[in-house]
Amino acid sequence: MAQVKDTRKQIANNKKAYHDYFIDETYETGVVLHGTEVKSMRMGKCSIKESFIRIENGEVFVYGMHVSPYEKGNIFNKDPLRVKKLLMHRYEISKLAGKVAEKGYTLVPLQVYFKEGKVKIEIGLARGKKLYDKRADIARKDQRRETQREFKVKNL
């Protein structure tokens, strides 16, 4: 049998989400886009830094996702900050709606990528971090970096 190769070309990443939230679960969703938006994404012109996700009337939408207008798109270009619908199964949406109704849970976009020619968004079910959690993460990263530096110096 032929081995299936994972063809994922990353467009945008949300590093801040991992800093501000504990990510409990991740989901892969499709996104409804227009032609010029897809062309712009192929050029890597997408940002999800300030974006967030809401569930309204049994449908999932991403707000604040910036897709730069396509240079050669003229009248066909859409608003860069247009609200975009995400494509998920009904049971996944109802499961997420129940979790988000709980105190402290939210949905955040983690990354945007191409998978087999289609634009996908990885979203995460997240809990907010407190300030002391963020400080602990920073201290852990600093410690790891320091040990790697010492290991590098010893092996020279």
Short mmCIF file of all heavy atoms in Angstrom, two decimals, residues 7-14 31 33 37-49 65-68 110-115 117-122:
data_model
loop_
_atom_site.label_atom_id
_atom_site.label_comp_id
_atom_site.label_asym_id
_atom_site.label_seq_id
_atom_site.Cartn_x
_atom_site.Cartn_y
_atom_site.Cartn_z
N THR A 7 0.43 16.47 3.59
CA THR A 7 0.83 17.66 2.84
C THR A 7 0.16 18.88 3.47
O THR A 7 -0.96 19.24 3.08
CB THR A 7 0.43 17.54 1.36
OG1 THR A 7 -0.97 17.27 1.29
CG2 THR A 7 1.19 16.43 0.69
N ARG A 8 0.82 19.47 4.43
CA ARG A 8 0.30 20.66 5.09
C ARG A 8 1.27 21.81 4.87
O ARG A 8 2.42 21.73 5.25
CB ARG A 8 0.14 20.42 6.59
CG ARG A 8 -1.05 19.57 6.92
CD ARG A 8 -1.13 19.18 8.36
NE ARG A 8 -1.00 20.26 9.29
CZ ARG A 8 -1.55 20.29 10.50
NH1 ARG A 8 -2.26 19.28 10.91
NH2 ARG A 8 -1.37 21.29 11.30
N LYS A 9 0.77 22.87 4.25
CA LYS A 9 1.58 24.06 4.06
C LYS A 9 1.00 25.16 4.95
O LYS A 9 -0.13 25.61 4.73
CB LYS A 9 1.54 24.49 2.59
CG LYS A 9 2.36 25.73 2.32
CD LYS A 9 2.20 26.19 0.88
CE LYS A 9 2.86 27.55 0.75
NZ LYS A 9 1.98 28.53 0.15
N GLN A 10 1.74 25.53 5.96
CA GLN A 10 1.24 26.50 6.94
C GLN A 10 1.19 27.90 6.35
O GLN A 10 2.10 28.34 5.67
CB GLN A 10 2.14 26.48 8.18
CG GLN A 10 1.56 27.31 9.30
CD GLN A 10 2.26 27.04 10.61
OE1 GLN A 10 2.89 26.02 10.78
NE2 GLN A 10 2.14 27.96 11.52
N ILE A 11 0.07 28.59 6.64
CA ILE A 11 -0.12 29.97 6.18
C ILE A 11 0.09 30.94 7.35
O ILE A 11 0.83 31.90 7.25
CB ILE A 11 -1.53 30.16 5.59
CG1 ILE A 11 -1.78 29.19 4.45
CG2 ILE A 11 -1.73 31.59 5.12
CD1 ILE A 11 -3.22 29.10 4.04
N ALA A 12 -0.59 30.67 8.46
CA ALA A 12 -0.51 31.56 9.63
C ALA A 12 -0.52 30.72 10.89
O ALA A 12 -1.12 29.65 10.94
CB ALA A 12 -1.67 32.54 9.63
N ASN A 13 0.12 31.24 11.94
CA ASN A 13 0.22 30.56 13.22
C ASN A 13 -0.12 31.56 14.32
O ASN A 13 0.21 32.73 14.21
CB ASN A 13 1.63 30.01 13.40
CG ASN A 13 1.71 29.02 14.52
OD1 ASN A 13 0.72 28.65 15.13
ND2 ASN A 13 2.92 28.58 14.81
N ASN A 14 -0.76 31.10 15.39
CA ASN A 14 -1.13 31.97 16.49
C ASN A 14 -0.36 31.55 17.74
O ASN A 14 -0.87 30.81 18.58
CB ASN A 14 -2.65 31.89 16.72
CG ASN A 14 -3.16 32.95 17.66
OD1 ASN A 14 -2.39 33.73 18.21
ND2 ASN A 14 -4.45 32.99 17.84
N VAL A 31 -13.08 26.23 5.96
CA VAL A 31 -13.51 27.62 6.05
C VAL A 31 -14.10 28.04 4.71
O VAL A 31 -13.62 27.63 3.65
CB VAL A 31 -12.35 28.55 6.49
CG1 VAL A 31 -11.21 28.50 5.52
CG2 VAL A 31 -12.81 29.97 6.70
N LEU A 33 -14.51 30.50 1.89
CA LEU A 33 -13.75 31.62 1.34
C LEU A 33 -14.20 31.91 -0.09
O LEU A 33 -14.79 31.05 -0.74
CB LEU A 33 -12.25 31.30 1.32
CG LEU A 33 -11.56 31.11 2.66
CD1 LEU A 33 -10.16 30.60 2.45
CD2 LEU A 33 -11.55 32.40 3.44
N GLU A 37 -9.72 35.50 -1.97
CA GLU A 37 -9.18 35.25 -0.64
C GLU A 37 -8.25 34.03 -0.66
O GLU A 37 -7.20 34.03 -0.01
CB GLU A 37 -10.31 35.03 0.37
CG GLU A 37 -11.10 36.28 0.66
CD GLU A 37 -12.30 36.03 1.55
OE1 GLU A 37 -12.95 34.99 1.41
OE2 GLU A 37 -12.58 36.89 2.40
N VAL A 38 -8.63 33.01 -1.40
CA VAL A 38 -7.79 31.81 -1.50
C VAL A 38 -6.47 32.16 -2.19
O VAL A 38 -5.40 31.75 -1.76
CB VAL A 38 -8.52 30.68 -2.26
CG1 VAL A 38 -7.61 29.48 -2.45
CG2 VAL A 38 -9.77 30.27 -1.51
N LYS A 39 -6.55 32.96 -3.26
CA LYS A 39 -5.33 33.36 -3.97
C LYS A 39 -4.41 34.17 -3.05
O LYS A 39 -3.19 34.01 -3.08
CB LYS A 39 -5.69 34.18 -5.21
CG LYS A 39 -6.31 33.34 -6.31
CD LYS A 39 -6.62 34.17 -7.51
CE LYS A 39 -7.23 33.32 -8.61
NZ LYS A 39 -7.45 34.06 -9.84
N SER A 40 -4.99 35.04 -2.26
CA SER A 40 -4.20 35.82 -1.31
C SER A 40 -3.55 34.92 -0.27
O SER A 40 -2.40 35.12 0.11
CB SER A 40 -5.10 36.86 -0.64
OG SER A 40 -4.36 37.65 0.23
N MET A 41 -4.28 33.90 0.19
CA MET A 41 -3.72 32.96 1.18
C MET A 41 -2.59 32.14 0.58
O MET A 41 -1.65 31.79 1.28
CB MET A 41 -4.82 32.05 1.72
CG MET A 41 -5.68 32.72 2.73
SD MET A 41 -6.70 31.51 3.53
CE MET A 41 -7.37 32.49 4.84
N ARG A 42 -2.69 31.80 -0.70
CA ARG A 42 -1.61 31.06 -1.36
C ARG A 42 -0.32 31.87 -1.33
O ARG A 42 0.77 31.32 -1.34
CB ARG A 42 -1.97 30.73 -2.80
CG ARG A 42 -3.00 29.64 -2.89
CD ARG A 42 -2.95 28.91 -4.19
NE ARG A 42 -4.09 28.01 -4.32
CZ ARG A 42 -4.19 26.82 -3.75
NH1 ARG A 42 -3.21 26.38 -3.00
NH2 ARG A 42 -5.26 26.07 -3.91
N MET A 43 -0.45 33.20 -1.29
CA MET A 43 0.72 34.07 -1.20
C MET A 43 1.14 34.30 0.25
O MET A 43 2.07 35.04 0.53
CB MET A 43 0.42 35.40 -1.89
CG MET A 43 0.12 35.24 -3.37
SD MET A 43 -0.47 36.76 -4.12
CE MET A 43 1.05 37.67 -4.22
N GLY A 44 0.40 33.70 1.21
CA GLY A 44 0.75 33.79 2.63
C GLY A 44 0.26 35.04 3.32
O GLY A 44 0.75 35.40 4.38
N LYS A 45 -0.73 35.71 2.76
CA LYS A 45 -1.21 36.98 3.32
C LYS A 45 -2.44 36.76 4.19
O LYS A 45 -3.56 37.04 3.81
CB LYS A 45 -1.55 37.94 2.18
CG LYS A 45 -0.41 38.10 1.19
CD LYS A 45 0.02 39.51 1.10
CE LYS A 45 1.26 39.62 0.26
NZ LYS A 45 1.21 40.56 -0.76
N CYS A 46 -2.20 36.24 5.40
CA CYS A 46 -3.28 35.96 6.34
C CYS A 46 -2.75 36.15 7.75
O CYS A 46 -1.60 35.84 8.03
CB CYS A 46 -3.78 34.53 6.14
SG CYS A 46 -5.01 34.02 7.32
N SER A 47 -3.60 36.68 8.64
CA SER A 47 -3.20 36.87 10.03
C SER A 47 -4.36 36.48 10.95
O SER A 47 -5.49 36.87 10.71
CB SER A 47 -2.81 38.33 10.27
OG SER A 47 -2.58 38.54 11.64
N ILE A 48 -4.05 35.72 12.01
CA ILE A 48 -5.08 35.33 12.97
C ILE A 48 -4.71 35.76 14.39
O ILE A 48 -5.23 35.23 15.36
CB ILE A 48 -5.34 33.80 12.93
CG1 ILE A 48 -4.06 33.01 13.16
CG2 ILE A 48 -6.03 33.40 11.66
CD1 ILE A 48 -4.26 31.53 13.32
N LYS A 49 -3.83 36.74 14.50
CA LYS A 49 -3.34 37.16 15.82
C LYS A 49 -4.46 37.69 16.73
O LYS A 49 -4.51 37.39 17.90
CB LYS A 49 -2.25 38.21 15.67
CG LYS A 49 -0.92 37.62 15.30
CD LYS A 49 0.16 38.66 15.31
CE LYS A 49 1.53 38.10 15.10
NZ LYS A 49 1.68 37.18 14.02
N MET A 65 -10.21 37.61 11.53
CA MET A 65 -9.18 36.96 10.72
C MET A 65 -8.92 37.84 9.51
O MET A 65 -9.81 38.08 8.71
CB MET A 65 -9.66 35.58 10.27
CG MET A 65 -8.68 34.82 9.44
SD MET A 65 -9.33 33.16 9.16
CE MET A 65 -8.65 32.82 7.57
N HIS A 66 -7.70 38.35 9.41
CA HIS A 66 -7.36 39.31 8.35
C HIS A 66 -6.76 38.59 7.15
O HIS A 66 -5.71 37.96 7.27
CB HIS A 66 -6.39 40.36 8.87
CG HIS A 66 -6.15 41.47 7.90
ND1 HIS A 66 -5.23 41.37 6.88
CD2 HIS A 66 -6.72 42.68 7.78
CE1 HIS A 66 -5.24 42.49 6.18
NE2 HIS A 66 -6.14 43.30 6.70
N VAL A 67 -7.46 38.68 6.01
CA VAL A 67 -6.94 38.15 4.75
C VAL A 67 -6.73 39.35 3.83
O VAL A 67 -7.69 40.00 3.42
CB VAL A 67 -7.93 37.15 4.10
CG1 VAL A 67 -7.37 36.65 2.78
CG2 VAL A 67 -8.20 35.99 5.04
N SER A 68 -5.48 39.67 3.55
CA SER A 68 -5.16 40.84 2.73
C SER A 68 -5.80 40.73 1.35
O SER A 68 -5.87 39.64 0.79
CB SER A 68 -3.65 40.99 2.57
OG SER A 68 -3.06 41.17 3.83
N LEU A 110 -5.80 28.41 16.10
CA LEU A 110 -4.40 28.13 16.39
C LEU A 110 -3.51 28.26 15.17
O LEU A 110 -2.42 28.82 15.25
CB LEU A 110 -4.26 26.72 16.98
CG LEU A 110 -5.04 26.47 18.27
CD1 LEU A 110 -4.91 25.01 18.67
CD2 LEU A 110 -4.56 27.38 19.37
N GLN A 111 -3.97 27.76 14.03
CA GLN A 111 -3.19 27.90 12.80
C GLN A 111 -4.09 27.76 11.58
O GLN A 111 -5.15 27.16 11.65
CB GLN A 111 -2.03 26.92 12.76
CG GLN A 111 -2.38 25.47 12.77
CD GLN A 111 -1.14 24.59 12.72
OE1 GLN A 111 -0.10 25.02 12.23
NE2 GLN A 111 -1.25 23.37 13.21
N VAL A 112 -3.61 28.34 10.48
CA VAL A 112 -4.28 28.25 9.18
C VAL A 112 -3.29 27.59 8.24
O VAL A 112 -2.12 27.96 8.22
CB VAL A 112 -4.67 29.65 8.65
CG1 VAL A 112 -5.37 29.54 7.31
CG2 VAL A 112 -5.54 30.39 9.65
N TYR A 113 -3.76 26.61 7.47
CA TYR A 113 -2.86 25.89 6.58
C TYR A 113 -3.64 25.31 5.40
O TYR A 113 -4.86 25.23 5.43
CB TYR A 113 -2.12 24.78 7.33
CG TYR A 113 -3.02 23.82 8.08
CD1 TYR A 113 -3.51 22.67 7.46
CD2 TYR A 113 -3.38 24.07 9.39
CE1 TYR A 113 -4.33 21.80 8.13
CE2 TYR A 113 -4.21 23.20 10.08
CZ TYR A 113 -4.68 22.07 9.45
OH TYR A 113 -5.50 21.21 10.12
N PHE A 114 -2.88 24.94 4.36
CA PHE A 114 -3.44 24.23 3.22
C PHE A 114 -3.25 22.74 3.47
O PHE A 114 -2.18 22.29 3.85
CB PHE A 114 -2.71 24.60 1.93
CG PHE A 114 -3.19 25.87 1.31
CD1 PHE A 114 -2.44 27.02 1.40
CD2 PHE A 114 -4.41 25.91 0.64
CE1 PHE A 114 -2.88 28.20 0.83
CE2 PHE A 114 -4.85 27.08 0.07
CZ PHE A 114 -4.08 28.23 0.16
N LYS A 115 -4.31 21.98 3.23
CA LYS A 115 -4.23 20.52 3.33
C LYS A 115 -4.92 19.97 2.09
O LYS A 115 -6.13 20.17 1.91
CB LYS A 115 -4.92 20.01 4.59
CG LYS A 115 -4.82 18.52 4.76
CD LYS A 115 -5.47 18.11 6.06
CE LYS A 115 -5.42 16.60 6.21
NZ LYS A 115 -6.13 16.18 7.42
N GLY A 117 -4.82 21.03 -0.89
CA GLY A 117 -5.37 22.10 -1.71
C GLY A 117 -6.50 22.89 -1.09
O GLY A 117 -7.01 23.82 -1.70
N LYS A 118 -6.93 22.52 0.10
CA LYS A 118 -8.04 23.22 0.76
C LYS A 118 -7.52 23.95 2.00
O LYS A 118 -6.65 23.46 2.70
CB LYS A 118 -9.13 22.23 1.15
CG LYS A 118 -9.81 21.62 -0.06
CD LYS A 118 -10.77 20.54 0.36
CE LYS A 118 -11.50 19.94 -0.81
NZ LYS A 118 -10.64 19.32 -1.80
N VAL A 119 -8.10 25.12 2.26
CA VAL A 119 -7.69 25.91 3.43
C VAL A 119 -8.39 25.33 4.66
O VAL A 119 -9.59 25.14 4.68
CB VAL A 119 -8.08 27.39 3.27
CG1 VAL A 119 -7.71 28.18 4.51
CG2 VAL A 119 -7.41 27.98 2.06
N LYS A 120 -7.60 25.03 5.68
CA LYS A 120 -8.11 24.50 6.94
C LYS A 120 -7.68 25.40 8.08
O LYS A 120 -6.62 26.03 8.02
CB LYS A 120 -7.58 23.08 7.20
CG LYS A 120 -7.87 22.08 6.12
CD LYS A 120 -9.31 21.67 6.12
CE LYS A 120 -9.55 20.59 5.09
NZ LYS A 120 -10.94 20.17 5.06
N ILE A 121 -8.50 25.46 9.12
CA ILE A 121 -8.16 26.21 10.33
C ILE A 121 -8.20 25.22 11.49
O ILE A 121 -9.18 24.49 11.65
CB ILE A 121 -9.15 27.36 10.60
CG1 ILE A 121 -9.10 28.37 9.47
CG2 ILE A 121 -8.84 28.03 11.93
CD1 ILE A 121 -10.03 29.55 9.67
N GLU A 122 -7.13 25.19 12.26
CA GLU A 122 -7.10 24.37 13.46
C GLU A 122 -7.56 25.25 14.61
O GLU A 122 -6.94 26.29 14.87
CB GLU A 122 -5.69 23.85 13.72
CG GLU A 122 -5.63 22.90 14.90
CD GLU A 122 -4.25 22.34 15.10
OE1 GLU A 122 -3.43 23.01 15.76
OE2 GLU A 122 -4.00 21.23 14.60
#
